[in-house]
Amino acid sequence: MALDAVCLQAAVREIAPQVEGLKIEKIQQPARDQVVLLLRGSRRLLLCASASQPRLNLTEVLRDNHSQPPMFCMLLRKHLSGGRIITLRQEPLERVVTLEIEAINELGEMGRFSLVLEAMNRHSNLILCGGDGRIIDCMRRVDFEMSQQRQVLFYQAPAPTGKLDPTAMTLEDLRRLVLEQAPEGEGQGKWLLDTFTAIAPLWAREMAFRAGGSTDCLLSIAAGRLWLEFDAWRRLVRQGEFLPVVLARDGKPFDFTFAPVLQYENACEIRTEESFSQLLDHFYAQREQADRVRQKG
């Protein structure tokens, strides 16, 4: 499973108070798509821009460090070493996180830098910007053939998907959408995914299951009940009452989320971790090892 916007929100909410104000003592790039900031107090902040497992978390995993650091790592060291993390924030309901860092610039003066993680699967990237928003460099350089929309000297967030903000909806809005725009015979889960941003497939299915007793329940069957489940999901996201939940079969984790789910009934084990950082470390451990072996090969 990839990290969705709400799980990322839970991680940022948990991590920010632990890293804001801390000095960056060392910077490592143990893999081509990973950067680790070693912070005062022996904390390690992992920023991963992998296409298959992008994430941000405090990590306890000790990763091998290259004897010859990659160019991007050397650039980060040049600009950010000895700096201090001022803020860690997420764009609302987006998989984009920005670290605002205060560090000595090339003129020997205190300056501001932004380190932006776009945790967007195959479009994931880690971008270093100056205080004026100008892009200094990035982990994955995007040329004109890849994207003509993002050929800019100054950072701009990824273009909106065109989907609706679920936190801005009212009961009347939802009813109107169902009546006017939902295709006949449309399943609740698919309609939620196609219509709203930030709702992960797992929770689109979960809302359908809770509303109509089936993950592929039709809108025509339980549209009224769907609103109640939709509103409960919104309240959970707004209030930030998140719980690091892992779903496993035969002891092997296959998914994770931010609250207990009901759709699997007795077909899987549901357990909680102490933190989202611990959850992400454990969940991706085997996949990360497999990626390292593949990259070396």
Side-chain angles (χ1 to χ4, degrees), residues 19-39:
V19 303
E20 290 178 346
L22 294 187
K23 181 180 178 181
I24 301 171
E25 297 187 333
K26 292 183 180 179
I27 301 173
Q28 300 174 343
Q29 190 174 350
R32 64 187 178 192
D33 51 18
Q34 295 179 352
V35 164
V36 178
L37 304 182
L38 282 70
L39 308 176

Side-chain angles (χ1 to χ4, degrees), residues 132-178:
D132 58 358
R134 185 182 296 271
I135 294 174
I136 298 173
D137 205 351
C138 52
M139 183 174 281
R140 289 191 176 89
R141 297 184 179 182
V142 180
D143 59 28
F144 282 100
E145 293 182 359
M146 297 178 186
S147 173
Q148 295 186 16
Q149 293 182 342
R150 304 202 68 192
Q151 291 301 312
V152 292
L153 293 176
F154 293 89
Y155 179 77
Q156 59 184 26
T161 62
K163 295 182 180 181
L164 300 176
D165 178 356
T167 63
M169 300 298 294
T170 65
L171 173 57
E172 291 71 24
D173 292 334
L174 191 73
R175 285 175 171 166
R176 186 182 68 254
L177 285 172
V178 172

Side-chain angles (χ1 to χ4, degrees), residues 86-253:
I86 305 303
T87 60
L88 172 65
R89 69 175 189 276
Q90 178 191 13
E91 295 297 321
L93 296 181
E94 296 289 349
R95 290 173 293 171
V96 179
V97 177
T98 301
L99 285 85
E100 294 289 347
I101 299 167
E102 195 173 63
I104 301 297
N105 61 26
E106 294 176 319
L107 299 176
E109 301 172 345
M110 191 62 71
R112 284 285 186 116
F113 298 88
S114 298
L115 190 57
V116 184
L117 174 66
E118 297 181 342
M120 304 171 67
N121 299 345
R122 65 190 182 91
H123 298 296
S124 295
N125 209 344
L126 188 60
I127 304 166
L128 177 65
C129 302
D132 58 358
R134 185 182 296 271
I135 294 174
I136 298 173
D137 205 351
C138 52
M139 183 174 281
R140 289 191 176 89
R141 297 184 179 182
V142 180
D143 59 28
F144 282 100
E145 293 182 359
M146 297 178 186
S147 173
Q148 295 186 16
Q149 293 182 342
R150 304 202 68 192
Q151 291 301 312
V152 292
L153 293 176
F154 293 89
Y155 179 77
Q156 59 184 26
T161 62
K163 295 182 180 181
L164 300 176
D165 178 356
T167 63
M169 300 298 294
T170 65
L171 173 57
E172 291 71 24
D173 292 334
L174 191 73
R175 285 175 171 166
R176 186 182 68 254
L177 285 172
V178 172
L179 290 173
E180 297 177 1
Q181 299 182 20
E184 186 175 351
E186 180 83 298
Q188 291 184 1
K190 183 178 184 306
W191 181 74
L192 289 170
L193 282 176
D194 292 344
T195 306
F196 299 103
T197 188
I199 298 180
L202 174 68
W203 276 94
R205 298 193 304 269
E206 182 67 13
M207 282 186 264
F209 180 83
R210 294 186 182 195
S214 169
T215 56
D216 56 2
C217 178
L218 298 179
L219 272 169
S220 57
I221 294 176
R225 178 66 186 173
L226 177 63
W227 163 254
L228 298 179
E229 299 302 334
F230 181 85
D231 196 40
W233 177 90
R234 294 195 316 163
R235 289 198 307 272
L236 181 64
V237 172
R238 282 173 172 168
Q239 295 167 8
E241 298 175 351
F242 302 124
L243 188 68
V245 172
V246 178
L247 310 178
R249 292 193 183 99
D250 300 323
K252 297 179 180 180

